[in-house]
Amino acid sequence: GNGMNDQYNDVLNVYLETGSTTLLAQLRDRETGNFNTTVNANYNEPVSKQFSLRLGHAFTYFNSNDDLATFLKAPNGKYEIPDAALTNAIGRQSWRNTLSTGLNWKYKQFSVTATANWLMLDIRNNFKTADTKLLQHYKYVLPGVQISWKEFNLGYRVNVTPRNITDVQPAP
């Protein structure tokens, strides 16, 4: 989804040790945009009466933007003086591929499934304000297990999620 947010800050900082004060009056104009989509494919092959093999692939694409423009208050009372030090624009594209394999054992109403997932995460950060691009490539092997008995389930799974774009700091 897309979002626009105007935040007005009027702050008076008083430093007790020195007795100095600073006044901050600023407008932070933030515009964000996000898009993601996921495609999954799964296959289950029985190999015996009690065992089956599971294979899966998931592909996820993310595209995010976080544009922040900061303005200081002018003597006329309008927020029209750009503050380049607090202005930032970041774009991010991410491709996430997960290949999974699992072995399932079932006996009556009891089953155990052990999985191994190979996660490949490719991220392209574009720090537009600093005109800097940062490519990141990660590969993980992640374990998982699920135990089921009747309607009761117990599972363990590891996942890796990159930070939200609003938490990313620009590179110097």
Side-chain angles (χ1 to χ4, degrees), residues 1-3 31-38 59-67 90-96 121-126 128 162-166:
N2 296 323
E31 186 173 339
T32 60
N34 296 298
F35 171 79
N36 68 57
T37 187
T38 301
F59 169 78
T60 303
Y61 171 76
F62 299 91
N63 189 348
S64 304
N65 290 297
D66 184 25
D67 298 332
I90 302 173
R92 174 187 273 181
Q93 289 181 315
S94 172
W95 297 266
R96 176 188 181 106
L121 185 59
D122 297 300
I123 302 171
R124 170 188 265 155
N125 292 303
N126 181 7
K128 302 172 199 172
R163 290 183 174 210
N164 191 320
I165 191 169
T166 56

Side-chain angles (χ1 to χ4, degrees), residues 22-163:
T22 59
L23 178 63
L24 174 67
Q26 68 176 208
L27 163 64
R28 294 172 58 89
D29 182 11
R30 172 170 267 154
E31 186 173 339
T32 60
N34 296 298
F35 171 79
N36 68 57
T37 187
T38 301
V39 177
N40 290 303
N42 293 295
Y43 178 73
N44 190 38
E45 177 69 28
V47 289
S48 73
K49 188 174 180 180
Q50 291 183 317
F51 288 95
S52 61
L53 180 65
R54 281 189 1 200
L55 300 171
H57 179 259
F59 169 78
T60 303
Y61 171 76
F62 299 91
N63 189 348
S64 304
N65 290 297
D66 184 25
D67 298 332
L68 174 64
T70 305
F71 300 93
L72 301 176
K73 189 183 277 188
N76 65 7
K78 295 182 180 179
Y79 294 90
E80 57 190 17
I81 302 171
D83 186 345
L86 297 175
T87 294
N88 195 23
I90 302 173
R92 174 187 273 181
Q93 289 181 315
S94 172
W95 297 266
R96 176 188 181 106
N97 282 285
T98 306
L99 298 172
S100 61
T101 182
L103 183 63
N104 184 51
W105 174 74
K106 185 173 184 177
Y107 178 74
K108 296 184 181 180
Q109 293 183 321
F110 181 76
S111 68
V112 177
T113 304
T115 61
N117 302 297
W118 186 33
L119 171 63
M120 296 156 289
L121 185 59
D122 297 300
I123 302 171
R124 170 188 265 155
N125 292 303
N126 181 7
F127 300 96
K128 302 172 199 172
T129 307
D131 194 28
T132 303
K133 292 183 174 35
L134 176 63
L135 303 177
Q136 298 171 297
H137 306 285
Y138 302 98
K139 293 179 180 157
Y140 304 94
V141 176
L142 306 170
V145 66
Q146 180 158 348
I147 301 169
S148 300
W149 178 64
K150 296 185 180 181
E151 65 271 358
F152 299 104
N153 293 301
L154 176 65
Y156 172 80
R157 190 179 86 146
V158 178
N159 194 11
V160 175
T161 303
R163 290 183 174 210

